[in-house]
């Protein structure tokens, strides 16, 4: 099961996943042009007209803790035959909308995310679990990068420098995690790399 954010929502990636025996849930954003726009319009109709004539499944989860309430609701439908480019997306079977609502004190924020998948739409709770799992990994990764690399404090803005530097940080984090001879944390390992060139080489060749 492969879940990818909008940067990886590409026809060739979907095809590769299926051909290697996997399944996909790919996030949609504006970079997918008409597919994102038309999917948004479809679910807007669902929400205002209660999906008259459109078959869908839905599920909801609610989590409370640390002074906030997080509610997530998913709508999933197999209504994909209307899409003109359906055949270009390998085994496209369902369109998905997730509403993420967060309440902290008196303030409530709501965000909608859209996805496509080769999985059936009849198991909304299962689809939501996959999507939540993806964002759990993303949030954990972001927390680790911010704590150990101060990612949120960067002021890199020129050209593609911010994206390139973020990729380098992820590579460095993975290399540091792969090196097992040092029992210290990521920060300690980074310091050791600066102090000891032999240890730096060990980190750079971890897993080789």
């Amino acid at each position: 099961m492969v879940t990818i954010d909008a940067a990886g929502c590409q026809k060739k990636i979907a095809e590769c996943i299926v051909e290697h025996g996997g399944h996909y849930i790919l996030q949609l954003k504006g970079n997918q042009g008409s597919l994102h726009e038309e999917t948004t319009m479809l679910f807007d109709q669902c929400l205002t007209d209660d999906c008259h004539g459109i078959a869908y499944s839905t599920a909801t989860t609610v989590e409370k803790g640390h002074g906030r309430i997080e509610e997530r609701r998913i709508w999933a439908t197999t209504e994909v035959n209307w899409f003109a480019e359906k055949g270009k997306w390998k085994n496209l079977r369902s369109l998905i909308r997730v509403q993420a609502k967060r309440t902290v004190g008196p303030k409530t924020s709501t965000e909608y995310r859209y996805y496509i998948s080769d999985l059936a739409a009849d198991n909304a709770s299962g689809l939501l679990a996959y999507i939540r799992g993806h964002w759990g990994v993303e949030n954990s990764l972001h927390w680790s990068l911010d704590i150990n690399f101060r990612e949120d404090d960067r002021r890199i803005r020129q050209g593609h420098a911010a994206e390139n530097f973020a990729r380098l940080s992820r590579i460095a984090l993975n290399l540091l995690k792969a090196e097992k001879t040092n029992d210290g944390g990521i920060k300690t390992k980074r310091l050791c790399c600066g102090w000891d060139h032999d240890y730096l080489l060990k980190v750079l060749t971890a897993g080789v």
Side-chain angles (χ1 to χ4, degrees):
M1 185 65 231
V2 181
T3 58
I4 309 179
D5 61 18
C9 186
Q10 301 175 25
K11 300 178 182 70
K12 289 185 178 180
I13 290 178
E15 181 178 1
C16 181
I17 292 170
V18 173
E19 288 183 348
H20 284 78
H23 296 282
Y24 63 82
I25 298 177
L26 308 178
Q27 187 179 10
L28 288 174
K29 284 191 177 178
N31 62 330
Q32 288 303 328
S34 61
L35 179 56
H36 176 266
E37 180 180 353
E38 292 175 19
T39 300
T40 302
M41 291 175 62
L42 176 71
F43 283 108
D44 282 344
Q45 179 183 341
C46 280
L47 292 180
T48 55
D49 300 335
D50 197 25
C51 287
H52 290 309
I54 299 176
Y56 72 98
S57 64
T58 187
T60 303
T61 63
V62 179
E63 295 180 352
K64 300 179 181 180
H66 305 290
R68 65 175 181 264
I69 302 173
E70 295 188 359
E71 178 183 344
R72 297 177 182 87
R73 185 177 180 186
I74 185 174
W75 295 262
T77 180
T78 56
E79 296 287 338
V80 298
N81 291 327
W82 54 268
F83 182 55
E85 294 190 352
K86 172 182 176 292
K88 296 182 179 181
W89 292 90
K90 188 72 171 181
N91 289 3
L92 177 61
R93 297 179 65 189
S94 60
L95 303 174
I96 300 165
R97 181 180 199 175
V98 174
Q99 179 192 62
K101 183 183 294 186
R102 172 178 290 190
T103 301
V104 181
K107 296 183 179 180
T108 298
S109 61
T110 302
E111 180 181 1
Y112 292 98
R113 299 169 184 152
Y114 300 88
Y115 304 83
I116 61 173
S117 178
D118 70 322
L119 297 174
D122 57 357
N123 183 9
S125 59
L127 293 171
L128 183 57
Y130 283 131
I131 292 169
R132 290 182 61 204
H134 172 89
W135 285 104
V137 172
E138 287 290 317
N139 291 337
S140 175
L141 174 62
H142 177 77
W143 179 87
S144 183
L145 287 168
D146 185 39
I147 293 297
N148 296 297
F149 291 83
R150 308 306 302 166
E151 192 169 66
D152 287 348
D153 292 337
R154 291 179 190 154
R155 295 296 179 264
I156 303 172
R157 298 289 184 270
Q158 188 172 356
H160 299 288
E163 180 180 355
N164 292 337
F165 207 91
R167 291 182 183 275
L168 289 173
S169 294
R170 282 158 174 76
I171 292 172
L173 179 62
N174 288 333
L175 289 172
L176 290 166
K177 286 182 176 180
E179 204 295 293
K180 303 297 185 182
T181 63
N182 188 324
D183 295 331
I186 299 299
K187 280 188 175 181
T188 299
K189 290 181 179 181
R190 287 190 67 194
L191 288 172
C192 290
C193 286
W195 295 330
D196 186 343
H197 286 179
D198 290 335
Y199 181 71
L200 173 61
L201 181 61
K202 182 181 292 187
V203 169
L204 292 174
T205 57
V208 175

